[in-house]
PDB file of all heavy atoms in Angstrom:
ATOM      1  N   LYS A   1      -2.515  11.332 -13.032  1.00  0.00           N
ATOM      2  CA  LYS A   1      -2.981  10.038 -13.114  1.00  0.00           C
ATOM      3  C   LYS A   1      -1.797   9.068 -13.138  1.00  0.00           C
ATOM      4  O   LYS A   1      -1.906   8.000 -12.630  1.00  0.00           O
ATOM      5  CB  LYS A   1      -3.916   9.986 -14.215  1.00  0.00           C
ATOM      6  CG  LYS A   1      -4.540   8.619 -14.489  1.00  0.00           C
ATOM      7  CD  LYS A   1      -5.471   8.597 -15.576  1.00  0.00           C
ATOM      8  CE  LYS A   1      -6.733   9.548 -15.296  1.00  0.00           C
ATOM      9  NZ  LYS A   1      -7.746   9.323 -16.320  1.00  0.00           N
ATOM     10  N   LEU A   2      -0.836   9.415 -13.986  1.00  0.00           N
ATOM     11  CA  LEU A   2       0.324   8.538 -14.190  1.00  0.00           C
ATOM     12  C   LEU A   2       1.110   8.356 -12.864  1.00  0.00           C
ATOM     13  O   LEU A   2       1.351   7.283 -12.469  1.00  0.00           O
ATOM     14  CB  LEU A   2       1.236   9.103 -15.281  1.00  0.00           C
ATOM     15  CG  LEU A   2       2.569   8.274 -15.472  1.00  0.00           C
ATOM     16  CD1 LEU A   2       2.374   6.809 -15.883  1.00  0.00           C
ATOM     17  CD2 LEU A   2       3.442   8.972 -16.535  1.00  0.00           C
ATOM     18  N   ALA A   3       1.315   9.418 -12.127  1.00  0.00           N
ATOM     19  CA  ALA A   3       1.958   9.389 -10.888  1.00  0.00           C
ATOM     20  C   ALA A   3       1.147   8.691  -9.869  1.00  0.00           C
ATOM     21  O   ALA A   3       1.779   8.044  -9.002  1.00  0.00           O
ATOM     22  CB  ALA A   3       2.219  10.966 -10.402  1.00  0.00           C
ATOM     23  N   GLY A   4      -0.151   8.851  -9.952  1.00  0.00           N
ATOM     24  CA  GLY A   4      -0.940   8.085  -9.016  1.00  0.00           C
ATOM     25  C   GLY A   4      -0.860   6.426  -9.159  1.00  0.00           C
ATOM     26  O   GLY A   4      -0.839   5.645  -8.284  1.00  0.00           O
ATOM     27  N   VAL A   5      -0.840   6.004 -10.453  1.00  0.00           N
ATOM     28  CA  VAL A   5      -0.714   4.656 -10.746  1.00  0.00           C
ATOM     29  C   VAL A   5       0.692   4.067 -10.222  1.00  0.00           C
ATOM     30  O   VAL A   5       0.786   3.031  -9.645  1.00  0.00           O
ATOM     31  CB  VAL A   5      -0.839   4.458 -12.295  1.00  0.00           C
ATOM     32  CG1 VAL A   5      -0.427   2.997 -12.592  1.00  0.00           C
ATOM     33  CG2 VAL A   5      -2.274   4.775 -12.799  1.00  0.00           C
ATOM     34  N   ILE A   6       1.683   4.941 -10.534  1.00  0.00           N
ATOM     35  CA  ILE A   6       3.015   4.568 -10.053  1.00  0.00           C
ATOM     36  C   ILE A   6       3.009   4.454  -8.508  1.00  0.00           C
ATOM     37  O   ILE A   6       3.643   3.505  -7.917  1.00  0.00           O
ATOM     38  CB  ILE A   6       4.107   5.493 -10.593  1.00  0.00           C
ATOM     39  CG1 ILE A   6       4.195   5.507 -12.048  1.00  0.00           C
ATOM     40  CG2 ILE A   6       5.423   5.239  -9.905  1.00  0.00           C
ATOM     41  CD1 ILE A   6       5.133   6.515 -12.658  1.00  0.00           C
ATOM     42  N   ALA A   7       2.451   5.447  -7.721  1.00  0.00           N
ATOM     43  CA  ALA A   7       2.495   5.516  -6.376  1.00  0.00           C
ATOM     44  C   ALA A   7       1.724   4.228  -5.827  1.00  0.00           C
ATOM     45  O   ALA A   7       2.138   3.637  -4.821  1.00  0.00           O
ATOM     46  CB  ALA A   7       1.832   6.744  -5.920  1.00  0.00           C
ATOM     47  N   LEU A   8       0.508   3.892  -6.487  1.00  0.00           N
ATOM     48  CA  LEU A   8      -0.294   2.747  -5.974  1.00  0.00           C
ATOM     49  C   LEU A   8       0.511   1.432  -6.267  1.00  0.00           C
ATOM     50  O   LEU A   8       0.571   0.535  -5.342  1.00  0.00           O
ATOM     51  CB  LEU A   8      -1.558   2.676  -6.779  1.00  0.00           C
ATOM     52  CG  LEU A   8      -2.481   1.475  -6.446  1.00  0.00           C
ATOM     53  CD1 LEU A   8      -2.748   1.635  -4.922  1.00  0.00           C
ATOM     54  CD2 LEU A   8      -3.752   1.569  -7.295  1.00  0.00           C
ATOM     55  N   GLY A   9       1.260   1.248  -7.317  1.00  0.00           N
ATOM     56  CA  GLY A   9       2.072   0.160  -7.608  1.00  0.00           C
ATOM     57  C   GLY A   9       3.154  -0.009  -6.691  1.00  0.00           C
ATOM     58  O   GLY A   9       3.444  -1.078  -6.069  1.00  0.00           O
ATOM     59  N   ALA A  10       3.877   1.042  -6.315  1.00  0.00           N
ATOM     60  CA  ALA A  10       4.969   1.020  -5.488  1.00  0.00           C
ATOM     61  C   ALA A  10       4.505   0.766  -4.000  1.00  0.00           C
ATOM     62  O   ALA A  10       5.166   0.107  -3.266  1.00  0.00           O
ATOM     63  CB  ALA A  10       5.626   2.429  -5.453  1.00  0.00           C
ATOM     64  N   GLY A  11       3.274   1.327  -3.637  1.00  0.00           N
ATOM     65  CA  GLY A  11       2.741   1.009  -2.382  1.00  0.00           C
ATOM     66  C   GLY A  11       2.415  -0.411  -2.154  1.00  0.00           C
ATOM     67  O   GLY A  11       2.721  -1.041  -1.090  1.00  0.00           O
ATOM     68  N   LEU A  12       1.754  -1.055  -3.212  1.00  0.00           N
ATOM     69  CA  LEU A  12       1.345  -2.409  -3.076  1.00  0.00           C
ATOM     70  C   LEU A  12       2.549  -3.372  -3.046  1.00  0.00           C
ATOM     71  O   LEU A  12       2.588  -4.381  -2.285  1.00  0.00           O
ATOM     72  CB  LEU A  12       0.543  -2.679  -4.385  1.00  0.00           C
ATOM     73  CG  LEU A  12      -0.790  -2.112  -4.437  1.00  0.00           C
ATOM     74  CD1 LEU A  12      -1.556  -2.587  -5.691  1.00  0.00           C
ATOM     75  CD2 LEU A  12      -1.737  -2.584  -3.116  1.00  0.00           C
ATOM     76  N   LEU A  13       3.644  -2.966  -3.843  1.00  0.00           N
ATOM     77  CA  LEU A  13       4.818  -3.764  -3.753  1.00  0.00           C
ATOM     78  C   LEU A  13       5.525  -3.568  -2.362  1.00  0.00           C
ATOM     79  O   LEU A  13       6.026  -4.629  -1.873  1.00  0.00           O
ATOM     80  CB  LEU A  13       5.775  -3.231  -4.840  1.00  0.00           C
ATOM     81  CG  LEU A  13       7.280  -3.907  -4.802  1.00  0.00           C
ATOM     82  CD1 LEU A  13       7.087  -5.336  -5.090  1.00  0.00           C
ATOM     83  CD2 LEU A  13       8.180  -3.260  -5.853  1.00  0.00           C
ATOM     84  N   ALA A  14       5.507  -2.468  -1.750  1.00  0.00           N
ATOM     85  CA  ALA A  14       6.074  -2.202  -0.394  1.00  0.00           C
ATOM     86  C   ALA A  14       5.353  -3.161   0.612  1.00  0.00           C
ATOM     87  O   ALA A  14       5.981  -3.787   1.429  1.00  0.00           O
ATOM     88  CB  ALA A  14       6.148  -0.841   0.002  1.00  0.00           C
ATOM     89  N   VAL A  15       4.042  -3.165   0.540  1.00  0.00           N
ATOM     90  CA  VAL A  15       3.199  -3.927   1.437  1.00  0.00           C
ATOM     91  C   VAL A  15       3.442  -5.453   1.300  1.00  0.00           C
ATOM     92  O   VAL A  15       3.601  -6.089   2.201  1.00  0.00           O
ATOM     93  CB  VAL A  15       1.735  -3.516   1.209  1.00  0.00           C
ATOM     94  CG1 VAL A  15       0.846  -4.463   1.955  1.00  0.00           C
ATOM     95  CG2 VAL A  15       1.483  -2.157   1.762  1.00  0.00           C
ATOM     96  N   ALA A  16       3.585  -5.779   0.001  1.00  0.00           N
ATOM     97  CA  ALA A  16       3.859  -7.212  -0.322  1.00  0.00           C
ATOM     98  C   ALA A  16       5.269  -7.642   0.318  1.00  0.00           C
ATOM     99  O   ALA A  16       5.378  -8.709   0.716  1.00  0.00           O
ATOM    100  CB  ALA A  16       3.854  -7.434  -1.771  1.00  0.00           C
ATOM    101  N   LEU A  17       6.276  -6.727   0.216  1.00  0.00           N
ATOM    102  CA  LEU A  17       7.627  -7.095   0.702  1.00  0.00           C
ATOM    103  C   LEU A  17       7.575  -7.132   2.174  1.00  0.00           C
ATOM    104  O   LEU A  17       8.297  -7.909   2.830  1.00  0.00           O
ATOM    105  CB  LEU A  17       8.574  -6.020   0.168  1.00  0.00           C
ATOM    106  CG  LEU A  17       8.873  -6.219  -1.224  1.00  0.00           C
ATOM    107  CD1 LEU A  17       9.919  -5.122  -1.859  1.00  0.00           C
ATOM    108  CD2 LEU A  17       9.340  -7.567  -1.703  1.00  0.00           C
ATOM    109  N   GLN A  18       6.893  -6.215   2.807  1.00  0.00           N
ATOM    110  CA  GLN A  18       6.745  -6.155   4.333  1.00  0.00           C
ATOM    111  C   GLN A  18       5.885  -7.201   4.795  1.00  0.00           C
ATOM    112  O   GLN A  18       6.143  -7.532   5.963  1.00  0.00           O
ATOM    113  CB  GLN A  18       6.170  -4.744   4.765  1.00  0.00           C
ATOM    114  CG  GLN A  18       7.044  -3.614   4.464  1.00  0.00           C
ATOM    115  CD  GLN A  18       6.313  -2.266   4.903  1.00  0.00           C
ATOM    116  OE1 GLN A  18       5.090  -2.231   5.275  1.00  0.00           O
ATOM    117  NE2 GLN A  18       7.058  -1.158   4.690  1.00  0.00           N
ATOM    118  N   GLN A  19       5.033  -7.717   4.159  1.00  0.00           N
ATOM    119  CA  GLN A  19       4.141  -8.811   4.504  1.00  0.00           C
ATOM    120  C   GLN A  19       3.211  -8.424   5.612  1.00  0.00           C
ATOM    121  O   GLN A  19       2.913  -9.307   6.499  1.00  0.00           O
ATOM    122  CB  GLN A  19       4.907 -10.148   4.782  1.00  0.00           C
ATOM    123  CG  GLN A  19       5.640 -10.649   3.577  1.00  0.00           C
ATOM    124  CD  GLN A  19       6.462 -11.949   3.890  1.00  0.00           C
ATOM    125  OE1 GLN A  19       6.553 -12.308   4.973  1.00  0.00           O
ATOM    126  NE2 GLN A  19       6.893 -12.591   2.943  1.00  0.00           N
ATOM    127  N   ARG A  20       2.938  -7.241   5.685  1.00  0.00           N
ATOM    128  CA  ARG A  20       1.960  -6.636   6.743  1.00  0.00           C
ATOM    129  C   ARG A  20       1.545  -5.327   6.305  1.00  0.00           C
ATOM    130  O   ARG A  20       2.056  -4.623   5.356  1.00  0.00           O
ATOM    131  CB  ARG A  20       2.774  -6.516   8.161  1.00  0.00           C
ATOM    132  CG  ARG A  20       3.959  -5.608   8.101  1.00  0.00           C
ATOM    133  CD  ARG A  20       4.660  -5.509   9.420  1.00  0.00           C
ATOM    134  NE  ARG A  20       5.811  -4.539   9.447  1.00  0.00           N
ATOM    135  CZ  ARG A  20       5.742  -3.354   9.604  1.00  0.00           C
ATOM    136  NH1 ARG A  20       4.498  -2.671   9.767  1.00  0.00           N
ATOM    137  NH2 ARG A  20       6.849  -2.564   9.518  1.00  0.00           N
ATOM    138  N   PHE A  21       0.364  -4.803   6.852  1.00  0.00           N
ATOM    139  CA  PHE A  21      -0.042  -3.410   6.622  1.00  0.00           C
ATOM    140  C   PHE A  21      -0.945  -3.003   7.726  1.00  0.00           C
ATOM    141  O   PHE A  21      -1.359  -3.741   8.603  1.00  0.00           O
ATOM    142  CB  PHE A  21      -1.010  -3.571   5.326  1.00  0.00           C
ATOM    143  CG  PHE A  21      -2.251  -4.475   5.481  1.00  0.00           C
ATOM    144  CD1 PHE A  21      -3.407  -4.050   6.102  1.00  0.00           C
ATOM    145  CD2 PHE A  21      -2.131  -5.807   5.186  1.00  0.00           C
ATOM    146  CE1 PHE A  21      -4.522  -4.781   6.183  1.00  0.00           C
ATOM    147  CE2 PHE A  21      -3.149  -6.619   5.349  1.00  0.00           C
ATOM    148  CZ  PHE A  21      -4.409  -6.170   5.817  1.00  0.00           C
ATOM    149  N   ARG A  22      -1.093  -1.602   7.775  1.00  0.00           N
ATOM    150  CA  ARG A  22      -1.866  -1.104   8.924  1.00  0.00           C
ATOM    151  C   ARG A  22      -3.342  -1.374   8.814  1.00  0.00           C
ATOM    152  O   ARG A  22      -3.887  -1.312   7.644  1.00  0.00           O
ATOM    153  CB  ARG A  22      -1.657   0.468   8.923  1.00  0.00           C
ATOM    154  CG  ARG A  22      -0.257   0.956   9.204  1.00  0.00           C
ATOM    155  CD  ARG A  22      -0.182   2.464   9.262  1.00  0.00           C
ATOM    156  NE  ARG A  22      -0.905   2.961  10.442  1.00  0.00           N
ATOM    157  CZ  ARG A  22      -1.139   4.272  10.721  1.00  0.00           C
ATOM    158  NH1 ARG A  22      -0.687   5.097   9.835  1.00  0.00           N
ATOM    159  NH2 ARG A  22      -1.804   4.684  11.825  1.00  0.00           N
ATOM    160  N   ILE A  23      -3.921  -1.787   9.819  1.00  0.00           N
ATOM    161  CA  ILE A  23      -5.335  -2.069   9.829  1.00  0.00           C
ATOM    162  C   ILE A  23      -6.126  -0.847   9.589  1.00  0.00           C
ATOM    163  O   ILE A  23      -5.944   0.180  10.325  1.00  0.00           O
ATOM    164  CB  ILE A  23      -5.825  -2.705  11.123  1.00  0.00           C
ATOM    165  CG1 ILE A  23      -4.945  -3.972  11.507  1.00  0.00           C
ATOM    166  CG2 ILE A  23      -7.255  -3.052  11.236  1.00  0.00           C
ATOM    167  CD1 ILE A  23      -4.986  -5.135  10.403  1.00  0.00           C
ATOM    168  N   PRO A  24      -7.082  -0.806   8.583  1.00  0.00           N
ATOM    169  CA  PRO A  24      -7.742   0.345   8.340  1.00  0.00           C
ATOM    170  C   PRO A  24      -8.728   0.728   9.593  1.00  0.00           C
ATOM    171  O   PRO A  24      -9.117  -0.160  10.367  1.00  0.00           O
ATOM    172  CB  PRO A  24      -8.743  -0.008   7.117  1.00  0.00           C
ATOM    173  CG  PRO A  24      -7.897  -1.175   6.457  1.00  0.00           C
ATOM    174  CD  PRO A  24      -7.169  -1.880   7.602  1.00  0.00           C
ATOM    175  N   SER A  25      -8.955   1.973   9.656  1.00  0.00           N
ATOM    176  CA  SER A  25      -9.773   2.494  10.835  1.00  0.00           C
ATOM    177  C   SER A  25     -11.288   2.376  10.397  1.00  0.00           C
ATOM    178  O   SER A  25     -11.680   2.196   9.151  1.00  0.00           O
ATOM    179  CB  SER A  25      -9.303   4.021  11.055  1.00  0.00           C
ATOM    180  OG  SER A  25      -9.842   4.823  10.047  1.00  0.00           O
ATOM    181  N   PRO A  26     -12.178   2.666  11.401  1.00  0.00           N
ATOM    182  CA  PRO A  26     -13.603   2.727  11.052  1.00  0.00           C
ATOM    183  C   PRO A  26     -14.050   3.698   9.973  1.00  0.00           C
ATOM    184  O   PRO A  26     -14.904   3.540   9.213  1.00  0.00           O
ATOM    185  CB  PRO A  26     -14.184   3.027  12.452  1.00  0.00           C
ATOM    186  CG  PRO A  26     -13.262   2.451  13.441  1.00  0.00           C
ATOM    187  CD  PRO A  26     -11.951   2.724  12.821  1.00  0.00           C
ATOM    188  N   VAL A  27     -13.213   4.910   9.933  1.00  0.00           N
ATOM    189  CA  VAL A  27     -13.401   5.832   8.950  1.00  0.00           C
ATOM    190  C   VAL A  27     -13.214   5.312   7.478  1.00  0.00           C
ATOM    191  O   VAL A  27     -14.105   5.439   6.540  1.00  0.00           O
ATOM    192  CB  VAL A  27     -12.532   7.047   9.128  1.00  0.00           C
ATOM    193  CG1 VAL A  27     -12.591   8.106   7.950  1.00  0.00           C
ATOM    194  CG2 VAL A  27     -12.808   7.679  10.491  1.00  0.00           C
TER     195      VAL A  27
END
């Protein structure tokens, strides 16, 4: 759970810095 929170935070930060993200699929 702790690792998941860290991974989510790091992922959101990376997306914010890139200023773009992959468009989700219909799934």
Side-chain angles (χ1 to χ4, degrees):
K1 181 175 293 186
L2 175 61
V5 171
I6 295 174
L8 180 60
L12 291 176
L13 178 61
V15 170
L17 291 176
Q18 291 176 356
Q19 299 179 349
R20 61 181 178 83
F21 61 91
R22 293 184 70 187
I23 302 299
S25 70
V27 174

